[in-house]
């Protein structure tokens, strides 16, 4: 399964509204999990089995909770039994389709 999630605190009391310290705590947990992952400016993607992925998401959310009075979690999952390595493979298939001559032409 692939999961893309974003977790951030609110009620931090910071005048600049920044949440980078909290997000860093969450991403640290993701990276230490050993599961395939990727972090972009908006989401962290994680790949693994149901229980292990959601354990990491739970722990990352709990880490963020330490930084504010409330936590926002946005999550999207691609559940496709029997597939692994999709964190990169999906992007590779997309790039190959983009590079195909005549792709999208009628």
């Amino acid at each position: 399964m692939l999961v893309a999630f974003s977790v951030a605190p609110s009620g931090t009391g910071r005048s600049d509204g920044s949440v980078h310290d909290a997000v860093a705590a969450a991403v640290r947990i993701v990276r230490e999990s050993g599961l395939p992952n990727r972090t972009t400016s908006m989401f962290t993607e994680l790949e693994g089995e149901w229980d292990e992925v959601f354990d990491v998401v739970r722990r990352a959310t709990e880490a963020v909770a330490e930084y504010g009075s409330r936590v926002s979690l946005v999550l999207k999952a691609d559940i496709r039994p029997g597939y692994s390595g999709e964190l990169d493979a999906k992007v590779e298939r997309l790039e190959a389709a983009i590079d195909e001559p005549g792709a999208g032409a009628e």
Side-chain angles (χ1 to χ4, degrees):
M1 111 181 313
L2 293 175
V3 167
F5 76 102
S6 173
V7 60
S10 59
T12 63
R14 289 184 62 135
S15 61
D16 65 356
S18 179
V19 296
H20 68 273
D21 292 334
V23 173
V27 172
R28 196 172 297 114
I29 287 169
V30 170
R31 292 182 179 173
E32 290 172 355
S33 76
L35 296 176
N37 66 83
R38 175 183 302 124
T39 298
T40 64
S41 61
M42 296 288 292
F43 285 93
T44 294
E45 298 171 319
L46 184 60
E47 182 172 16
E49 296 299 319
W50 185 279
D51 289 340
E52 59 191 1
V53 167
F54 277 92
D55 176 62
V56 173
V57 171
R58 179 188 53 79
R59 290 187 291 120
T61 302
E62 290 170 349
V64 166
E66 308 253 340
Y67 290 84
S69 60
R70 192 174 201 165
V71 176
S72 172
L73 172 64
V74 176
L75 187 140
K76 181 176 182 179
D78 180 2
I79 303 162
R80 194 173 185 193
Y83 286 80
S84 63
E86 291 297 288
L87 188 67
D88 293 319
K90 287 179 75 166
V91 176
E92 290 166 3
R93 288 191 300 272
L94 171 64
E95 292 296 335
I98 291 169
D99 291 341
E100 287 179 18
E106 294 185 26

